[in-house]
Amino acid sequence: MRGITSPIDSTKTQLEKEVAAEVKKQTEDFKQELEILKSDFLGQLSQLNNLFLDPQNQKEQILQQLSGLTPSPSLTQDYVHPEIQQKIQELTTQLEILKAGNTHLFFTANDYLKQGNALFFEGRYEDALACYEQVIQRQPSSFIAWLNHGWALRRLGRYPKALLSYQKAIAIQSDSYIAWFGCGNSLRKLQRYDEAIVSYDRALELQPEFHWAWCHKARCHALKNDHDLAIESLTRAIKLRGDQHRELAKTNSDFDLIRADERFKKILTG
């Protein structure tokens, strides 16, 4: 008959309610446990991020300071103020300590370039070379990396390899007078004077008042015992940067073959 609930049906309904309530309770408990686990995980992740980001931030600050103190190797002067030298040494030491204690520290190609320039400026040419090679591995078409690679090799006296690096730089950026100048310097050291003169001439086409190219071109002509062209080029260098090249010519052995020439003596006396 309709409207009459059997004891069995009543018991079944009650059991279903109890099961549903238990399932709901377990679900809520599970959600709470998930929230706790999620909170713990995010906390641990935040700690890991802080461990990672703090050294990264320190690295960025050190490299930024180094970048402000160090020019590109091609513009490095022979004299560096002792206070700047000391500051560079302190910063490169800090960076090395930071790298040693944080193996996960991430360096970009630009980071290695900045570090390499600082090490070059510090006179640590082997270490600078290693940094430039890291840049080249990451960015094989980096003009500045190949150029600086050449400068480091040149300072180490590895002229054939330096020449190859300058040629790589020129292949990437053929209108760089400083790359042609570096190429000329390597060729001069290799006693390939005619080729060196061609490179210096290319540099001077791009930068006619680059006094060092005139001076080194004069050295090549002097080494070839070509008095007229040596004196002509040296005169141009002295006209652009006076006493600097006059003093160099007085003592540099490359000019020995023309030293007795009266015209040479005259330009040395001003």
Side-chain angles (χ1 to χ4, degrees):
M1 294 178 61
R2 294 180 179 178
I4 298 175
T5 304
S6 70
I8 294 174
D9 291 338
S10 178
T11 300
K12 182 179 179 182
T13 302
Q14 182 62 31
L15 182 60
E16 287 175 347
K17 288 180 179 179
E18 290 176 358
V19 169
E22 182 63 24
V23 169
K24 183 178 179 181
K25 180 177 180 302
Q26 289 182 7
T27 302
E28 292 298 326
D29 290 345
F30 181 66
K31 286 181 178 180
Q32 289 180 7
E33 289 178 5
L34 281 178
E35 287 298 320
I36 293 170
L37 289 171
K38 179 182 176 182
S39 178
D40 289 344
F41 173 75
L42 291 175
Q44 292 174 12
L45 184 61
S46 177
Q47 290 178 3
L48 288 172
N49 283 337
N50 288 336
L51 286 172
F52 178 77
L53 290 175
D54 189 50
Q56 282 291 134
N57 290 334
Q58 290 180 49
K59 180 210 72 175
E60 295 296 336
Q61 291 173 11
I62 292 170
L63 288 172
Q64 186 175 3
Q65 291 181 68
L66 282 172
S67 182
L69 292 170
T70 54
S72 177
S74 58
L75 302 175
T76 298
Q77 299 175 351
D78 291 333
Y79 174 78
V80 182
H81 195 282
E83 290 184 5
I84 296 178
Q85 285 183 326
Q86 183 178 355
K87 185 61 177 176
I88 291 171
Q89 289 173 356
E90 289 173 358
L91 289 168
T92 54
T93 299
Q94 288 177 28
L95 186 60
E96 287 163 355
I97 292 171
L98 189 66
K99 286 174 70 175
N102 298 274
T103 55
H104 59 272
L105 203 60
F106 179 71
F107 270 62
T108 65
N110 195 45
D111 291 338
Y112 278 114
L113 186 64
K114 290 177 181 178
Q115 186 184 15
N117 289 348
L119 292 167
F120 184 98
F121 205 64
E122 197 178 332
R124 296 168 56 184
Y125 304 121
E126 287 283 6
D127 293 332
L129 189 65
C131 286
Y132 297 140
E133 287 172 354
Q134 289 288 341
V135 181
I136 290 167
Q137 286 179 18
R138 291 161 172 76
Q139 296 179 352
S141 61
S142 170
F143 163 78
I144 192 64
W146 281 112
L147 181 65
N148 293 357
H149 192 258
W151 284 108
L153 286 166
R154 179 172 173 266
R155 288 295 180 95
L156 290 165
R158 301 172 191 169
Y159 302 115
K161 289 185 177 180
L163 178 61
L164 291 174
S165 293
Y166 289 128
Q167 289 171 337
K168 283 275 191 179
I170 289 168
I172 296 166
Q173 189 173 318
S174 61
D175 61 350
S176 168
Y177 77 94
I178 204 70
W180 283 104
F181 175 66
C183 200
N185 288 342
S186 297
L187 288 164
R188 176 171 53 82
K189 288 291 187 179
L190 293 168
Q191 300 181 6
R192 293 161 61 178
Y193 302 127
D194 289 330
E195 294 173 81
I197 290 167
V198 170
S199 290
Y200 291 137
D201 282 340
R202 184 69 180 111
L204 289 166
E205 287 175 16
L206 296 163
Q207 188 76 318
E209 296 189 353
F210 185 41
H211 58 97
W212 279 115
W214 284 112
C215 178
H216 292 346
K217 182 180 174 183
R219 293 168 69 178
C220 289
H221 283 305
L223 287 162
K224 284 164 54 66
N225 203 20
D226 191 332
H227 292 221
D228 292 342
L229 292 176
I231 290 168
E232 178 186 333
S233 295
L234 183 59
T235 300
R236 293 290 298 270
I238 290 173
K239 190 174 291 186
L240 290 167
R241 188 58 69 88
D243 291 341
Q244 187 172 11
H245 296 300
R246 187 176 283 113
E247 291 303 313
L248 183 147
K250 286 178 181 179
T251 58
N252 193 290
S253 62
D254 288 351
F255 293 102
D256 285 351
L257 291 175
I258 67 168
R259 201 166 294 283
D261 192 306
E262 292 300 323
R263 295 171 297 170
F264 181 76
K265 292 178 182 179
K266 184 176 179 180
I267 62 175
L268 292 188
T269 58

Coordinates of all heavy atoms in Angstrom, one line a residue, residues 19-33:
V19 N 26.1 7.2 5.5 CA 27.2 7.1 4.6 C 27.5 8.4 3.9 O 28.7 8.8 3.7 CB 26.9 6.0 3.5 CG1 27.9 6.0 2.4 CG2 26.8 4.6 4.2
A20 N 26.5 9.1 3.4 CA 26.7 10.4 2.7 C 27.4 11.4 3.7 O 28.3 12.1 3.3 CB 25.4 10.9 2.2
A21 N 26.9 11.4 4.9 CA 27.5 12.3 5.9 C 29.0 12.0 6.1 O 29.9 12.8 6.2 CB 26.7 12.3 7.2
E22 N 29.3 10.7 6.2 CA 30.7 10.2 6.4 C 31.6 10.6 5.2 O 32.7 11.0 5.4 CB 30.7 8.7 6.7 CG 32.1 8.2 7.0 CD 32.7 8.7 8.3 OE1 32.0 9.2 9.1 OE2 34.0 8.8 8.3
V23 N 31.0 10.3 4.0 CA 31.8 10.7 2.8 C 32.0 12.2 2.8 O 33.1 12.6 2.5 CB 31.0 10.2 1.6 CG1 31.6 10.8 0.3 CG2 31.0 8.7 1.5
K24 N 31.0 13.0 3.1 CA 31.2 14.4 3.1 C 32.3 14.9 4.1 O 33.1 15.7 3.8 CB 29.8 15.1 3.5 CG 29.9 16.6 3.4 CD 28.5 17.2 3.7 CE 28.6 18.7 3.7 NZ 27.3 19.4 4.0
K25 N 32.2 14.2 5.3 CA 33.2 14.6 6.4 C 34.6 14.2 5.9 O 35.5 15.0 6.1 CB 32.9 13.8 7.7 CG 33.8 14.1 8.8 CD 33.4 13.4 10.1 CE 34.4 13.7 11.2 NZ 35.7 13.3 10.9
Q26 N 34.8 13.0 5.3 CA 36.1 12.6 4.8 C 36.6 13.5 3.7 O 37.8 13.8 3.6 CB 36.0 11.1 4.3 CG 35.8 10.1 5.5 CD 35.8 8.7 5.0 OE1 36.0 8.5 3.8 NE2 35.5 7.8 5.9
T27 N 35.6 13.9 2.9 CA 36.0 14.8 1.8 C 36.5 16.2 2.3 O 37.5 16.7 1.9 CB 34.8 15.1 0.9 OG1 34.3 13.8 0.3 CG2 35.2 16.0 -0.3
E28 N 35.8 16.7 3.3 CA 36.2 18.0 4.0 C 37.5 17.8 4.6 O 38.4 18.7 4.5 CB 35.1 18.4 5.0 CG 33.8 18.8 4.4 CD 33.9 20.0 3.4 OE1 34.8 20.9 3.7 OE2 33.2 20.1 2.4
D29 N 37.7 16.7 5.3 CA 39.0 16.4 6.0 C 40.1 16.4 5.0 O 41.2 16.9 5.2 CB 38.9 15.1 6.8 CG 38.0 15.2 8.0 OD1 37.7 16.4 8.4 OD2 37.7 14.2 8.6
F30 N 39.8 15.7 3.9 CA 40.9 15.6 2.8 C 41.2 16.9 2.2 O 42.4 17.2 2.0 CB 40.3 14.6 1.7 CG 41.3 14.4 0.6 CD1 42.5 13.7 0.9 CD2 41.0 14.8 -0.7 CE1 43.4 13.4 -0.1 CE2 42.0 14.6 -1.7 CZ 43.1 13.9 -1.4
K31 N 40.2 17.7 2.0 CA 40.4 19.1 1.5 C 41.3 19.9 2.4 O 42.2 20.6 2.0 CB 39.1 19.8 1.2 CG 38.3 19.3 0.0 CD 37.1 20.1 -0.1 CE 36.3 19.7 -1.4 NZ 35.0 20.5 -1.5
Q32 N 41.0 19.8 3.7 CA 41.8 20.5 4.7 C 43.3 20.0 4.7 O 44.2 20.8 4.8 CB 41.2 20.3 6.1 CG 39.9 21.1 6.3 CD 39.3 20.9 7.7 OE1 40.0 20.3 8.6 NE2 38.1 21.3 7.9
E33 N 43.5 18.7 4.6 CA 44.8 18.1 4.5 C 45.5 18.6 3.3 O 46.7 19.0 3.3 CB 44.8 16.6 4.5 CG 44.3 16.0 5.9 CD 44.3 14.5 5.8 OE1 44.6 13.9 4.8 OE2 43.8 13.9 6.8

